[in-house]
Amino acid sequence: MSNRAYNFNAGPAALPLEVLQQAQEQFVEFNGAGMSIMEMSHRSAAYEQVHNEAQSLLRELFGIPDNYHVLFLQGGASMQFAMLPMNLLAPSRAAAYAISGNWANKAVKEARLIGETIVAASSEGDGYRRTPAITDIVIPDDAAYVHVTSNETIEGTQYQAFPDTGNVPLAADMSSDILSRPVDVSKFGVIYAGAQKNLGPSGVTLVVIRNDLAAASPKSLPSMLRYETHVKNNSLYNTPPSFAIYMVNLMLKWIRSNGGVGELAKVNQAKTALIYDTIDNSGGFYTGFALPESRSRMNVTFRIRNEELEKLFIKESEQQGFIGLKGHRDVGGLRASVYNAVPMASCQALAQFMIDFQRRNG
């Protein structure tokens, strides 16, 4: 399709054209069922096959050990900001949060409503232009869990490695870089992620949780807020976002057909290198927001020397089919979100546009 936009939206974000086309082919009638998957019961064999297959593909592609559950929930990562401490933060303990930017701050704000929290480390002093150093994360021995935000979409920073938290469970919001690179899942107690950046459309949230942590859900919580409820019902306690899960299934098959997570990580690095190199070789016309050691491979944040040029950049880029390059209102500037489904050709086109824009306005 020649009229496809160069989609750099931060989320909901780009999906592979072939995935969209396959969904289009099956939209009215799914596998001879005489109806769309959106119309059929979530208790039907046809839907449960899609549901279970998506869980199996996640285990395969993300290397999820057998002693972890894979859940499909709703409410986005924002729901998990509260659901995590509700389930894991005991009254006599504290949760330790590493503060790396906007989303980490939102997570700890919700946790404070539930129980005691401490700041284990923070990069606020550097304007959140980096992630907290692993060596700076201080973990109390009796902490209920340690929480990190693996990638900050607004500031454009990303952990390049994760802390070893010993016997204290490590929880991570991976909404914006899930399945974009290999991760040792066994180092984590809980991983959660909204699907709408790397896994599919909005509406479904992935939670990967170690068995013992799920089993410890307090019985005093409402059923829908207990991880144990969803484990026992295979994420089918209530009506799931069935079409979104179907799309996740297609997206996972696309990841597998493109070489898996390891191969995608190489492509993602090459895609963002094109843009970072353009920034670094611009002689100061463009400046990156994130410090080089913390640069995200998902969200490239940068500035131009004055806001008038930034406004002109947005205007001209939109005229040429580039979508989503305006930075978040809390930070300003410019941002290119380069998730799994953003093709190399889009990044090449953006790099060339940036070079041309500088030539005309430098």
mmCIF file of all heavy atoms in Angstrom, residues 281-331:
data_model
loop_
_atom_site.group_PDB
_atom_site.id
_atom_site.type_symbol
_atom_site.label_atom_id
_atom_site.label_comp_id
_atom_site.label_asym_id
_atom_site.label_seq_id
_atom_site.Cartn_x
_atom_site.Cartn_y
_atom_site.Cartn_z
ATOM 1 N N ASN A 281 25.529 13.548 14.291
ATOM 2 C CA ASN A 281 26.356 14.084 13.205
ATOM 3 C C ASN A 281 25.838 15.414 12.661
ATOM 4 O O ASN A 281 26.282 15.875 11.612
ATOM 5 C CB ASN A 281 26.439 13.063 12.065
ATOM 6 C CG ASN A 281 27.163 11.797 12.478
ATOM 7 O OD1 ASN A 281 28.056 11.832 13.322
ATOM 8 N ND2 ASN A 281 26.767 10.664 11.905
ATOM 9 N N SER A 282 24.885 16.036 13.398
ATOM 10 C CA SER A 282 24.260 17.263 12.899
ATOM 11 C C SER A 282 25.000 18.534 13.306
ATOM 12 O O SER A 282 24.551 19.638 12.980
ATOM 13 C CB SER A 282 22.813 17.347 13.385
ATOM 14 O OG SER A 282 22.758 17.588 14.786
ATOM 15 N N GLY A 283 26.101 18.372 14.039
ATOM 16 C CA GLY A 283 26.854 19.543 14.460
ATOM 17 C C GLY A 283 26.113 20.422 15.451
ATOM 18 O O GLY A 283 26.361 21.625 15.524
ATOM 19 N N GLY A 284 25.203 19.830 16.199
ATOM 20 C CA GLY A 284 24.456 20.576 17.202
ATOM 21 C C GLY A 284 23.115 21.096 16.737
ATOM 22 O O GLY A 284 22.357 21.664 17.541
ATOM 23 N N PHE A 285 22.779 20.906 15.465
ATOM 24 C CA PHE A 285 21.458 21.333 14.977
ATOM 25 C C PHE A 285 20.370 20.539 15.697
ATOM 26 O O PHE A 285 19.364 21.106 16.132
ATOM 27 C CB PHE A 285 21.367 21.134 13.466
ATOM 28 C CG PHE A 285 20.077 21.609 12.862
ATOM 29 C CD1 PHE A 285 19.905 22.953 12.533
ATOM 30 C CD2 PHE A 285 19.028 20.734 12.612
ATOM 31 C CE1 PHE A 285 18.701 23.405 11.984
ATOM 32 C CE2 PHE A 285 17.830 21.177 12.059
ATOM 33 C CZ PHE A 285 17.671 22.519 11.752
ATOM 34 N N TYR A 286 20.585 19.233 15.815
ATOM 35 C CA TYR A 286 19.733 18.375 16.627
ATOM 36 C C TYR A 286 20.505 17.982 17.889
ATOM 37 O O TYR A 286 21.721 17.747 17.829
ATOM 38 C CB TYR A 286 19.347 17.095 15.885
ATOM 39 C CG TYR A 286 18.590 17.301 14.592
ATOM 40 C CD1 TYR A 286 19.209 17.072 13.367
ATOM 41 C CD2 TYR A 286 17.264 17.700 14.592
ATOM 42 C CE1 TYR A 286 18.521 17.233 12.169
ATOM 43 C CE2 TYR A 286 16.563 17.875 13.400
ATOM 44 C CZ TYR A 286 17.202 17.645 12.187
ATOM 45 O OH TYR A 286 16.513 17.813 11.016
ATOM 46 N N THR A 287 19.813 17.899 19.011
ATOM 47 C CA THR A 287 20.439 17.404 20.241
ATOM 48 C C THR A 287 19.533 16.356 20.872
ATOM 49 O O THR A 287 18.322 16.555 20.975
ATOM 50 C CB THR A 287 20.671 18.538 21.256
ATOM 51 O OG1 THR A 287 19.431 19.210 21.531
ATOM 52 C CG2 THR A 287 21.684 19.541 20.732
ATOM 53 N N GLY A 288 20.113 15.239 21.267
ATOM 54 C CA GLY A 288 19.343 14.198 21.921
ATOM 55 C C GLY A 288 19.008 14.585 23.348
ATOM 56 O O GLY A 288 19.805 15.252 24.029
ATOM 57 N N PHE A 289 17.832 14.168 23.811
ATOM 58 C CA PHE A 289 17.450 14.457 25.201
ATOM 59 C C PHE A 289 18.100 13.463 26.154
ATOM 60 O O PHE A 289 18.698 13.851 27.158
ATOM 61 C CB PHE A 289 15.927 14.413 25.356
ATOM 62 C CG PHE A 289 15.474 14.679 26.770
ATOM 63 C CD1 PHE A 289 15.396 15.971 27.257
ATOM 64 C CD2 PHE A 289 15.133 13.627 27.624
ATOM 65 C CE1 PHE A 289 15.002 16.223 28.570
ATOM 66 C CE2 PHE A 289 14.741 13.858 28.924
ATOM 67 C CZ PHE A 289 14.671 15.168 29.401
ATOM 68 N N ALA A 290 18.004 12.182 25.874
ATOM 69 C CA ALA A 290 18.552 11.162 26.769
ATOM 70 C C ALA A 290 20.070 11.114 26.666
ATOM 71 O O ALA A 290 20.642 11.319 25.583
ATOM 72 C CB ALA A 290 17.970 9.794 26.433
ATOM 73 N N LEU A 291 20.728 10.864 27.789
ATOM 74 C CA LEU A 291 22.176 10.685 27.765
ATOM 75 C C LEU A 291 22.508 9.413 26.990
ATOM 76 O O LEU A 291 21.758 8.427 27.053
ATOM 77 C CB LEU A 291 22.718 10.608 29.190
ATOM 78 C CG LEU A 291 22.512 11.871 30.053
ATOM 79 C CD1 LEU A 291 23.091 11.667 31.444
ATOM 80 C CD2 LEU A 291 23.121 13.093 29.393
ATOM 81 N N PRO A 292 23.623 9.404 26.260
ATOM 82 C CA PRO A 292 23.920 8.274 25.367
ATOM 83 C C PRO A 292 23.864 6.904 26.036
ATOM 84 O O PRO A 292 23.388 5.940 25.439
ATOM 85 C CB PRO A 292 25.336 8.601 24.863
ATOM 86 C CG PRO A 292 25.382 10.092 24.867
ATOM 87 C CD PRO A 292 24.604 10.504 26.084
ATOM 88 N N GLU A 293 24.313 6.806 27.294
ATOM 89 C CA GLU A 293 24.356 5.494 27.948
ATOM 90 C C GLU A 293 22.963 4.970 28.311
ATOM 91 O O GLU A 293 22.809 3.789 28.630
ATOM 92 C CB GLU A 293 25.232 5.543 29.197
ATOM 93 C CG GLU A 293 24.730 6.447 30.300
ATOM 94 C CD GLU A 293 25.245 7.882 30.197
ATOM 95 O OE1 GLU A 293 25.671 8.292 29.095
ATOM 96 O OE2 GLU A 293 25.202 8.583 31.227
ATOM 97 N N SER A 294 21.952 5.838 28.262
ATOM 98 C CA SER A 294 20.598 5.422 28.617
ATOM 99 C C SER A 294 19.628 5.545 27.456
ATOM 100 O O SER A 294 18.415 5.440 27.641
ATOM 101 C CB SER A 294 20.076 6.265 29.794
ATOM 102 O OG SER A 294 20.787 5.985 30.977
ATOM 103 N N ARG A 295 20.121 5.753 26.255
ATOM 104 C CA ARG A 295 19.236 5.957 25.118
ATOM 105 C C ARG A 295 18.340 4.748 24.851
ATOM 106 O O ARG A 295 18.793 3.607 24.835
ATOM 107 C CB ARG A 295 20.064 6.243 23.865
ATOM 108 C CG ARG A 295 20.566 7.672 23.779
ATOM 109 C CD ARG A 295 21.454 7.873 22.560
ATOM 110 N NE ARG A 295 21.674 9.278 22.275
ATOM 111 C CZ ARG A 295 22.487 9.730 21.339
ATOM 112 N NH1 ARG A 295 23.162 8.862 20.580
ATOM 113 N NH2 ARG A 295 22.632 11.029 21.135
ATOM 114 N N SER A 296 17.077 5.057 24.624
ATOM 115 C CA SER A 296 16.096 4.017 24.337
ATOM 116 C C SER A 296 16.210 3.543 22.892
ATOM 117 O O SER A 296 16.470 4.341 21.982
ATOM 118 C CB SER A 296 14.692 4.570 24.577
ATOM 119 O OG SER A 296 13.708 3.685 24.095
ATOM 120 N N ARG A 297 15.970 2.253 22.688
ATOM 121 C CA ARG A 297 15.863 1.696 21.346
ATOM 122 C C ARG A 297 14.420 1.676 20.863
ATOM 123 O O ARG A 297 14.128 1.142 19.792
ATOM 124 C CB ARG A 297 16.436 0.262 21.315
ATOM 125 C CG ARG A 297 17.916 0.195 21.607
ATOM 126 C CD ARG A 297 18.733 0.913 20.564
ATOM 127 N NE ARG A 297 20.148 0.909 20.870
ATOM 128 C CZ ARG A 297 21.077 1.583 20.186
ATOM 129 N NH1 ARG A 297 20.694 2.334 19.163
ATOM 130 N NH2 ARG A 297 22.344 1.532 20.526
ATOM 131 N N MET A 298 13.542 2.286 21.638
ATOM 132 C CA MET A 298 12.127 2.336 21.287
ATOM 133 C C MET A 298 11.643 3.760 21.031
ATOM 134 O O MET A 298 10.806 3.990 20.170
ATOM 135 C CB MET A 298 11.279 1.715 22.413
ATOM 136 C CG MET A 298 11.518 0.227 22.661
ATOM 137 S SD MET A 298 10.735 -0.838 21.416
ATOM 138 C CE MET A 298 12.106 -1.129 20.291
ATOM 139 N N ASN A 299 12.142 4.727 21.818
ATOM 140 C CA ASN A 299 11.667 6.110 21.727
ATOM 141 C C ASN A 299 12.857 7.051 21.648
ATOM 142 O O ASN A 299 13.595 7.204 22.626
ATOM 143 C CB ASN A 299 10.805 6.470 22.938
ATOM 144 C CG ASN A 299 9.710 5.462 23.208
ATOM 145 O OD1 ASN A 299 9.889 4.566 24.030
ATOM 146 N ND2 ASN A 299 8.586 5.585 22.536
ATOM 147 N N VAL A 300 13.047 7.655 20.495
ATOM 148 C CA VAL A 300 14.161 8.581 20.279
ATOM 149 C C VAL A 300 13.652 9.995 20.521
ATOM 150 O O VAL A 300 12.797 10.496 19.783
ATOM 151 C CB VAL A 300 14.715 8.458 18.849
ATOM 152 C CG1 VAL A 300 15.879 9.419 18.651
ATOM 153 C CG2 VAL A 300 15.150 7.025 18.561
ATOM 154 N N THR A 301 14.148 10.649 21.567
ATOM 155 C CA THR A 301 13.721 12.003 21.910
ATOM 156 C C THR A 301 14.837 12.986 21.569
ATOM 157 O O THR A 301 16.004 12.746 21.864
ATOM 158 C CB THR A 301 13.378 12.104 23.399
ATOM 159 O OG1 THR A 301 14.459 11.543 24.178
ATOM 160 C CG2 THR A 301 12.103 11.341 23.717
ATOM 161 N N PHE A 302 14.454 14.121 20.958
ATOM 162 C CA PHE A 302 15.480 15.086 20.556
ATOM 163 C C PHE A 302 14.871 16.477 20.416
ATOM 164 O O PHE A 302 13.644 16.650 20.394
ATOM 165 C CB PHE A 302 16.162 14.651 19.256
ATOM 166 C CG PHE A 302 15.256 14.477 18.059
ATOM 167 C CD1 PHE A 302 15.205 15.422 17.041
ATOM 168 C CD2 PHE A 302 14.463 13.332 17.914
ATOM 169 C CE1 PHE A 302 14.388 15.258 15.925
ATOM 170 C CE2 PHE A 302 13.646 13.150 16.798
ATOM 171 C CZ PHE A 302 13.605 14.119 15.803
ATOM 172 N N ARG A 303 15.743 17.465 20.356
ATOM 173 C CA ARG A 303 15.345 18.851 20.211
ATOM 174 C C ARG A 303 16.051 19.485 19.016
ATOM 175 O O ARG A 303 17.075 18.991 18.546
ATOM 176 C CB ARG A 303 15.705 19.669 21.471
ATOM 177 C CG ARG A 303 15.129 19.188 22.792
ATOM 178 C CD ARG A 303 13.625 19.187 22.820
ATOM 179 N NE ARG A 303 13.010 20.475 22.577
ATOM 180 C CZ ARG A 303 12.510 21.277 23.513
ATOM 181 N NH1 ARG A 303 12.578 20.915 24.794
ATOM 182 N NH2 ARG A 303 11.919 22.409 23.197
ATOM 183 N N ILE A 304 15.467 20.598 18.543
ATOM 184 C CA ILE A 304 16.133 21.480 17.595
ATOM 185 C C ILE A 304 16.396 22.782 18.339
ATOM 186 O O ILE A 304 15.759 23.066 19.352
ATOM 187 C CB ILE A 304 15.283 21.704 16.333
ATOM 188 C CG1 ILE A 304 14.891 20.352 15.720
ATOM 189 C CG2 ILE A 304 16.039 22.528 15.289
ATOM 190 C CD1 ILE A 304 14.019 20.449 14.475
ATOM 191 N N ARG A 305 17.311 23.594 17.878
ATOM 192 C CA ARG A 305 17.835 24.708 18.673
ATOM 193 C C ARG A 305 16.799 25.742 19.092
ATOM 194 O O ARG A 305 17.035 26.503 20.031
ATOM 195 C CB ARG A 305 18.971 25.393 17.932
ATOM 196 C CG ARG A 305 18.578 26.001 16.599
ATOM 197 C CD ARG A 305 19.785 26.507 15.855
ATOM 198 N NE ARG A 305 19.426 27.086 14.566
ATOM 199 C CZ ARG A 305 20.242 27.136 13.542
ATOM 200 N NH1 ARG A 305 21.448 26.623 13.654
ATOM 201 N NH2 ARG A 305 19.865 27.686 12.401
ATOM 202 N N ASN A 306 15.651 25.824 18.413
ATOM 203 C CA ASN A 306 14.600 26.712 18.897
ATOM 204 C C ASN A 306 13.230 26.126 18.556
ATOM 205 O O ASN A 306 13.085 25.305 17.655
ATOM 206 C CB ASN A 306 14.746 28.138 18.332
ATOM 207 C CG ASN A 306 14.555 28.201 16.824
ATOM 208 O OD1 ASN A 306 13.476 27.927 16.305
ATOM 209 N ND2 ASN A 306 15.614 28.572 16.103
ATOM 210 N N GLU A 307 12.224 26.589 19.303
ATOM 211 C CA GLU A 307 10.890 25.998 19.178
ATOM 212 C C GLU A 307 10.232 26.317 17.839
ATOM 213 O O GLU A 307 9.406 25.537 17.353
ATOM 214 C CB GLU A 307 10.004 26.475 20.328
ATOM 215 C CG GLU A 307 10.402 25.892 21.681
ATOM 216 C CD GLU A 307 9.396 26.207 22.764
ATOM 217 O OE1 GLU A 307 8.291 26.700 22.434
ATOM 218 O OE2 GLU A 307 9.699 25.951 23.946
ATOM 219 N N GLU A 308 10.561 27.442 17.247
ATOM 220 C CA GLU A 308 9.979 27.775 15.949
ATOM 221 C C GLU A 308 10.395 26.760 14.892
ATOM 222 O O GLU A 308 9.582 26.344 14.054
ATOM 223 C CB GLU A 308 10.389 29.190 15.534
ATOM 224 C CG GLU A 308 9.755 30.287 16.367
ATOM 225 C CD GLU A 308 8.235 30.185 16.405
ATOM 226 O OE1 GLU A 308 7.619 30.013 15.321
ATOM 227 O OE2 GLU A 308 7.659 30.254 17.504
ATOM 228 N N LEU A 309 11.659 26.357 14.935
ATOM 229 C CA LEU A 309 12.122 25.336 13.998
ATOM 230 C C LEU A 309 11.465 23.991 14.295
ATOM 231 O O LEU A 309 11.167 23.229 13.374
ATOM 232 C CB LEU A 309 13.643 25.204 14.054
ATOM 233 C CG LEU A 309 14.440 26.236 13.247
ATOM 234 C CD1 LEU A 309 15.937 26.035 13.454
ATOM 235 C CD2 LEU A 309 14.095 26.148 11.760
ATOM 236 N N GLU A 310 11.226 23.709 15.562
ATOM 237 C CA GLU A 310 10.544 22.457 15.913
ATOM 238 C C GLU A 310 9.120 22.443 15.361
ATOM 239 O O GLU A 310 8.661 21.422 14.834
ATOM 240 C CB GLU A 310 10.538 22.264 17.429
ATOM 241 C CG GLU A 310 11.919 21.934 17.989
ATOM 242 C CD GLU A 310 11.915 21.756 19.486
ATOM 243 O OE1 GLU A 310 10.911 22.107 20.143
ATOM 244 O OE2 GLU A 310 12.935 21.274 20.010
ATOM 245 N N LYS A 311 8.433 23.566 15.464
ATOM 246 C CA LYS A 311 7.079 23.651 14.905
ATOM 247 C C LYS A 311 7.106 23.480 13.392
ATOM 248 O O LYS A 311 6.233 22.806 12.816
ATOM 249 C CB LYS A 311 6.452 24.985 15.281
ATOM 250 C CG LYS A 311 6.134 25.128 16.762
ATOM 251 C CD LYS A 311 5.573 26.508 17.071
ATOM 252 C CE LYS A 311 5.295 26.669 18.559
ATOM 253 N NZ LYS A 311 4.809 28.047 18.877
ATOM 254 N N LEU A 312 8.095 24.070 12.736
ATOM 255 C CA LEU A 312 8.226 23.926 11.292
ATOM 256 C C LEU A 312 8.549 22.480 10.922
ATOM 257 O O LEU A 312 8.025 21.952 9.925
ATOM 258 C CB LEU A 312 9.316 24.865 10.765
ATOM 259 C CG LEU A 312 9.547 24.857 9.245
ATOM 260 C CD1 LEU A 312 8.286 25.305 8.502
ATOM 261 C CD2 LEU A 312 10.744 25.745 8.885
ATOM 262 N N PHE A 313 9.387 21.830 11.727
ATOM 263 C CA PHE A 313 9.739 20.427 11.509
ATOM 264 C C PHE A 313 8.484 19.561 11.541
ATOM 265 O O PHE A 313 8.274 18.712 10.665
ATOM 266 C CB PHE A 313 10.738 19.979 12.575
ATOM 267 C CG PHE A 313 11.241 18.568 12.420
ATOM 268 C CD1 PHE A 313 12.454 18.302 11.798
ATOM 269 C CD2 PHE A 313 10.510 17.483 12.915
ATOM 270 C CE1 PHE A 313 12.930 17.001 11.669
ATOM 271 C CE2 PHE A 313 10.979 16.181 12.788
ATOM 272 C CZ PHE A 313 12.182 15.945 12.162
ATOM 273 N N ILE A 314 7.629 19.776 12.547
ATOM 274 C CA ILE A 314 6.386 19.005 12.667
ATOM 275 C C ILE A 314 5.488 19.261 11.462
ATOM 276 O O ILE A 314 4.950 18.320 10.852
ATOM 277 C CB ILE A 314 5.648 19.364 13.971
ATOM 278 C CG1 ILE A 314 6.447 18.907 15.187
ATOM 279 C CG2 ILE A 314 4.257 18.735 13.989
ATOM 280 C CD1 ILE A 314 6.664 17.421 15.283
ATOM 281 N N LYS A 315 5.338 20.518 11.099
ATOM 282 C CA LYS A 315 4.466 20.860 9.981
ATOM 283 C C LYS A 315 4.933 20.205 8.688
ATOM 284 O O LYS A 315 4.141 19.567 7.967
ATOM 285 C CB LYS A 315 4.411 22.381 9.814
ATOM 286 C CG LYS A 315 3.540 22.847 8.662
ATOM 287 C CD LYS A 315 3.544 24.371 8.540
ATOM 288 C CE LYS A 315 2.716 24.836 7.353
ATOM 289 N NZ LYS A 315 2.725 26.315 7.222
ATOM 290 N N GLU A 316 6.216 20.340 8.374
ATOM 291 C CA GLU A 316 6.726 19.801 7.121
ATOM 292 C C GLU A 316 6.746 18.276 7.133
ATOM 293 O O GLU A 316 6.477 17.634 6.111
ATOM 294 C CB GLU A 316 8.126 20.353 6.848
ATOM 295 C CG GLU A 316 8.141 21.836 6.520
ATOM 296 C CD GLU A 316 9.485 22.297 5.995
ATOM 297 O OE1 GLU A 316 10.392 21.434 5.818
ATOM 298 O OE2 GLU A 316 9.648 23.509 5.747
ATOM 299 N N SER A 317 7.058 17.692 8.289
ATOM 300 C CA SER A 317 7.096 16.223 8.363
ATOM 301 C C SER A 317 5.706 15.640 8.137
ATOM 302 O O SER A 317 5.540 14.633 7.443
ATOM 303 C CB SER A 317 7.668 15.758 9.699
ATOM 304 O OG SER A 317 6.815 16.106 10.780
ATOM 305 N N GLU A 318 4.679 16.267 8.715
ATOM 306 C CA GLU A 318 3.310 15.788 8.512
ATOM 307 C C GLU A 318 2.894 15.904 7.058
ATOM 308 O O GLU A 318 2.193 15.027 6.534
ATOM 309 C CB GLU A 318 2.357 16.554 9.419
ATOM 310 C CG GLU A 318 2.513 16.208 10.902
ATOM 311 C CD GLU A 318 1.603 17.009 11.799
ATOM 312 O OE1 GLU A 318 1.006 18.008 11.310
ATOM 313 O OE2 GLU A 318 1.494 16.663 12.997
ATOM 314 N N GLN A 319 3.330 16.945 6.402
ATOM 315 C CA GLN A 319 3.024 17.119 4.975
ATOM 316 C C GLN A 319 3.639 16.007 4.126
ATOM 317 O O GLN A 319 3.122 15.674 3.062
ATOM 318 C CB GLN A 319 3.521 18.484 4.502
ATOM 319 C CG GLN A 319 2.730 19.660 5.059
ATOM 320 C CD GLN A 319 3.351 20.995 4.733
ATOM 321 O OE1 GLN A 319 4.513 21.079 4.294
ATOM 322 N NE2 GLN A 319 2.598 22.066 4.941
ATOM 323 N N GLN A 320 4.732 15.425 4.626
ATOM 324 C CA GLN A 320 5.405 14.362 3.887
ATOM 325 C C GLN A 320 5.052 12.966 4.397
ATOM 326 O O GLN A 320 5.702 11.985 4.044
ATOM 327 C CB GLN A 320 6.921 14.580 3.923
ATOM 328 C CG GLN A 320 7.349 15.852 3.203
ATOM 329 C CD GLN A 320 8.834 15.891 2.907
ATOM 330 O OE1 GLN A 320 9.473 14.852 2.695
ATOM 331 N NE2 GLN A 320 9.403 17.083 2.883
ATOM 332 N N GLY A 321 4.012 12.887 5.242
ATOM 333 C CA GLY A 321 3.506 11.590 5.650
ATOM 334 C C GLY A 321 4.072 11.024 6.934
ATOM 335 O O GLY A 321 3.819 9.861 7.268
ATOM 336 N N PHE A 322 4.812 11.834 7.697
ATOM 337 C CA PHE A 322 5.337 11.381 8.984
ATOM 338 C C PHE A 322 4.335 11.723 10.079
ATOM 339 O O PHE A 322 3.899 12.870 10.199
ATOM 340 C CB PHE A 322 6.686 12.047 9.291
ATOM 341 C CG PHE A 322 7.791 11.655 8.350
ATOM 342 C CD1 PHE A 322 8.050 12.409 7.214
ATOM 343 C CD2 PHE A 322 8.563 10.534 8.593
ATOM 344 C CE1 PHE A 322 9.056 12.064 6.340
ATOM 345 C CE2 PHE A 322 9.571 10.173 7.722
ATOM 346 C CZ PHE A 322 9.827 10.933 6.590
ATOM 347 N N ILE A 323 3.982 10.733 10.891
ATOM 348 C CA ILE A 323 2.969 10.892 11.927
ATOM 349 C C ILE A 323 3.576 10.607 13.306
ATOM 350 O O ILE A 323 4.340 9.654 13.465
ATOM 351 C CB ILE A 323 1.778 9.940 11.695
ATOM 352 C CG1 ILE A 323 1.183 10.165 10.296
ATOM 353 C CG2 ILE A 323 0.710 10.129 12.782
ATOM 354 C CD1 ILE A 323 0.630 11.536 10.064
ATOM 355 N N GLY A 324 3.226 11.450 14.291
ATOM 356 C CA GLY A 324 3.584 11.160 15.677
ATOM 357 C C GLY A 324 4.930 11.662 16.128
ATOM 358 O O GLY A 324 5.448 11.188 17.145
ATOM 359 N N LEU A 325 5.522 12.634 15.453
ATOM 360 C CA LEU A 325 6.875 13.090 15.790
ATOM 361 C C LEU A 325 6.899 14.218 16.824
ATOM 362 O O LEU A 325 7.981 14.613 17.266
ATOM 363 C CB LEU A 325 7.615 13.530 14.528
ATOM 364 C CG LEU A 325 7.955 12.406 13.541
ATOM 365 C CD1 LEU A 325 8.598 12.971 12.280
ATOM 366 C CD2 LEU A 325 8.884 11.382 14.193
ATOM 367 N N LYS A 326 5.760 14.728 17.210
ATOM 368 C CA LYS A 326 5.730 15.770 18.236
ATOM 369 C C LYS A 326 5.990 15.155 19.596
ATOM 370 O O LYS A 326 5.401 14.136 19.967
ATOM 371 C CB LYS A 326 4.375 16.477 18.230
ATOM 372 C CG LYS A 326 4.300 17.672 19.174
ATOM 373 C CD LYS A 326 2.950 18.381 19.059
ATOM 374 C CE LYS A 326 2.886 19.588 19.982
ATOM 375 N NZ LYS A 326 1.579 20.296 19.868
ATOM 376 N N GLY A 327 6.884 15.764 20.367
ATOM 377 C CA GLY A 327 7.215 15.236 21.685
ATOM 378 C C GLY A 327 6.054 15.347 22.655
ATOM 379 O O GLY A 327 5.085 16.095 22.439
ATOM 380 N N HIS A 328 6.135 14.610 23.748
ATOM 381 C CA HIS A 328 5.096 14.643 24.768
ATOM 382 C C HIS A 328 5.015 16.037 25.381
ATOM 383 O O HIS A 328 6.034 16.715 25.561
ATOM 384 C CB HIS A 328 5.395 13.600 25.851
ATOM 385 C CG HIS A 328 4.275 13.361 26.805
ATOM 386 N ND1 HIS A 328 4.051 14.163 27.903
ATOM 387 C CD2 HIS A 328 3.293 12.421 26.826
ATOM 388 C CE1 HIS A 328 2.998 13.721 28.570
ATOM 389 N NE2 HIS A 328 2.520 12.669 27.937
ATOM 390 N N ARG A 329 3.828 16.438 25.762
ATOM 391 C CA ARG A 329 3.612 17.801 26.274
ATOM 392 C C ARG A 329 4.422 18.079 27.541
ATOM 393 O O ARG A 329 4.742 19.238 27.831
ATOM 394 C CB ARG A 329 2.133 18.034 26.550
ATOM 395 C CG ARG A 329 1.516 17.075 27.570
ATOM 396 C CD ARG A 329 0.009 17.271 27.710
ATOM 397 N NE ARG A 329 -0.581 16.336 28.647
ATOM 398 C CZ ARG A 329 -0.967 15.109 28.322
ATOM 399 N NH1 ARG A 329 -0.819 14.697 27.073
ATOM 400 N NH2 ARG A 329 -1.500 14.299 29.221
ATOM 401 N N ASP A 330 4.781 17.044 28.316
ATOM 402 C CA ASP A 330 5.531 17.257 29.553
ATOM 403 C C ASP A 330 7.004 17.557 29.296
ATOM 404 O O ASP A 330 7.693 18.086 30.172
ATOM 405 C CB ASP A 330 5.421 16.030 30.463
ATOM 406 C CG ASP A 330 4.032 15.883 31.067
ATOM 407 O OD1 ASP A 330 3.246 16.852 30.977
ATOM 408 O OD2 ASP A 330 3.738 14.802 31.610
ATOM 409 N N VAL A 331 7.500 17.186 28.124
ATOM 410 C CA VAL A 331 8.922 17.360 27.807
ATOM 411 C C VAL A 331 9.122 18.287 26.621
ATOM 412 O O VAL A 331 10.073 19.057 26.555
ATOM 413 C CB VAL A 331 9.594 15.988 27.537
ATOM 414 C CG1 VAL A 331 11.025 16.177 27.050
ATOM 415 C CG2 VAL A 331 9.569 15.133 28.799
#
